[in-house]
Amino acid sequence: MVQTIDNPTVPPAAEQHFTCRGLTWHQFKAIQASFENVPGVRLFYCQGVLEIVGISKPHEAFQSIIGVLLAIYFEVREIEFFPSGAYSQIVEDQVEYQSDLSYCFGTDKDVPDLCIEVVITSGSPIKLQKYRLMGVQEVWFWEDGTLQLYRLPEQGYERIASSELLPELDLSLLKRCILFASPLEALKEFRKGISSND
């Protein structure tokens, strides 16, 4: 029997979240420079809104297991992918952020096809706006033990039940494996589940 994480959420104190509105791009860049040597902190800026987020161990653990599981899926399904991790994505004077995981499919591109964000502390006022400004086709949020998927048509993001980029991906299997207490068992179960769907 595989053990899962009983409570995938963590207390709010585990990851600090600060929001400030009404900042110019130049003010953001000045604040960003002052955090340059501070480990475990990320700064996001979108059209005047600054978010400062302290990155917790649970955040990094969920990000890592999601990345490993998806790498297995891409390998088994022979999907050409280009991971770009948490590099800074910038539209000058408007937005700068780092998603937790980013992927291009088929060919490497300037704008990722898929961005995934692990949300430990919810309530972000720029949750989807930053991705819309970049034109990211699909965005996933892992929050409270569930995946929320969004696609970008012309009008703005809309919620979707399954991935349009990875339509054969069994999301219930992925979610179940993310919550396993043992990462090794998660990988084994996920690979077995993918293989049984062939």
Side-chain angles (χ1 to χ4, degrees), residues 17 19 21 49-51 123-129:
H17 183 267
T19 302
R21 298 174 184 272
V49 179
L50 167 68
E51 289 184 338
S124 168
I126 59 174
K127 184 174 179 177
L128 283 166
Q129 178 66 2

Side-chain angles (χ1 to χ4, degrees), residues 49-120:
V49 179
L50 167 68
E51 289 184 338
I52 303 173
V53 180
I55 304 301
S56 66
K57 184 177 179 180
H59 177 282
E60 295 298 278
F62 282 122
Q63 173 186 323
S64 297
I65 195 67
I66 292 169
V68 172
L69 292 172
L70 287 177
I72 289 173
Y73 183 78
F74 300 147
E75 183 256 328
V76 169
R77 295 295 182 180
E78 296 190 4
I79 296 171
E80 188 67 73
F81 73 104
F82 297 86
S84 48
Y87 80 100
S88 290
Q89 299 177 57
I90 302 169
V91 175
E92 193 74 21
D93 295 330
Q94 290 191 68
V95 64
E96 181 171 339
Y97 69 93
Q98 307 85 36
S99 57
D100 294 308
L101 299 164
S102 300
Y103 299 97
C104 294
F105 300 111
T107 60
D108 199 5
K109 309 173 185 77
D110 291 335
V111 176
D113 296 311
L114 170 64
C115 286
I116 302 172
E117 194 170 310
V118 175
V119 181
I120 300 295

